[in-house]
Amino acid sequence: MSEFIMPEFLKKDYSKIGLPESARLMDEYYEKFNKLFTTEGLIMDEEEFSAILRICLKENKTFEEVTGTSCDYDNNDI
């Protein structure tokens, strides 16, 4: 069986498609912690949210540990 190699033009490049920084940071957060969370009900702007995610990634802490707020994703929310 041959190995599939994704062509470069199909790979995500967030700097070119104009997604907010928080979208990229949330992807990195999920990759690092393997944990989803909801942002529904959070009262913060894009800049503050991104800053918190950068702290989480740098200090290896979950969103809940940094903010004291539980934003766990529940399968019943689907």
Side-chain angles (χ1 to χ4, degrees):
M1 179 181 266
S2 64
E3 183 178 325
F4 175 76
I5 299 174
M6 185 180 296
E8 287 298 317
F9 71 91
L10 291 177
K11 294 181 181 176
K12 290 182 183 178
D13 185 352
Y14 294 107
S15 65
K16 291 183 181 177
I17 59 176
L19 289 177
E21 179 186 19
S22 62
R24 180 183 57 78
L25 291 169
M26 283 186 76
D27 281 349
E28 288 181 35
Y29 181 94
Y30 178 73
E31 288 176 20
K32 184 169 192 160
F33 297 104
N34 196 29
K35 184 176 181 181
L36 295 174
F37 64 89
T38 180
T39 57
E40 186 175 332
L42 291 179
I43 302 172
M44 61 182 69
D45 61 20
E46 177 79 20
E47 188 175 313
E48 183 180 3
F49 181 61
S50 294
I52 291 170
L53 289 175
R54 283 192 297 274
I55 292 168
C56 292
L57 294 167
K58 181 179 180 183
E59 296 182 6
N60 199 33
K61 294 183 178 179
T62 65
F63 191 85
E64 185 176 56
E65 290 172 320
V66 172
T67 64
T69 304
S70 178
C71 296
D72 287 340
Y73 179 79
D74 185 352
N75 285 335
N76 295 325
D77 293 337
I78 298 176

